[in-house]
């Protein structure tokens, strides 16, 4: 009987050790889970902040692109008008030279 009591005690000791090992592994896994949950929360926070920043940058870009398009249109219209002024000036100069030449011949 003493032998079965000793065997039972040995089994009990092994069971307790196995349970303690399982608890240790579970606790380590729980610690890792907490760390990863904290990291996940930080990443989600960073994503939210970056998403907000991206939206603001996109909005700013859209406004600046619209303004640039307005500048492009204004520059194009101004250049076109300036070219018409130059053409008119050239035509006026030709007419003036012709008239001046005609006046010189009359005198």
């Amino acid at each position: 009987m003493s032998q079965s009591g000793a065997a039972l005690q040995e089994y009990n000791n092994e069971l307790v050790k196995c349970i303690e090992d399982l608890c240790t592994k579970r606790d380590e896994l729980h610690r890792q889970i907490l760390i990863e949950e904290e990291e996940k929360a930080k990443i989600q926070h960073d994503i939210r902040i970056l998403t907000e920043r991206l939206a603001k940058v996109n909005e700013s870009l859209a406004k600046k692109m619209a303004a640039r398009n307005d500048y492009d249109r204004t520059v194009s219209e101004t250049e076109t008008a300036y070219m018409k002024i130059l053409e008119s000036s050239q035509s006026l100069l030709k007419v003036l030279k012709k008239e001046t030449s005609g006046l010189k011949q009359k005198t």
Side-chain angles (χ1 to χ4, degrees), residues 25-82:
K25 288 178 183 178
R26 182 201 64 205
D27 291 345
E28 175 59 25
L29 190 57
H30 179 70
R31 186 187 66 77
Q32 290 173 0
I33 288 170
L34 291 176
I35 290 170
E36 288 187 12
E37 284 177 342
E38 187 177 312
E39 182 180 4
K40 175 185 171 185
K42 182 188 176 307
I43 291 170
Q44 286 175 327
H45 178 263
D46 291 347
I47 288 172
R48 183 183 54 78
I49 288 173
L50 289 173
T51 301
E52 290 172 4
R53 282 179 51 196
L54 179 61
K56 288 178 184 176
V57 167
N58 281 335
E59 182 180 336
S60 176
L61 275 173
K63 287 178 183 177
K64 288 177 180 174
M65 286 178 172
R68 184 189 61 193
N69 291 340
D70 289 343
Y71 275 107
D72 287 344
R73 181 185 45 77
T74 301
V75 167
S76 177
E77 290 172 359
T78 303
E79 286 175 340
T80 300
Y82 182 68

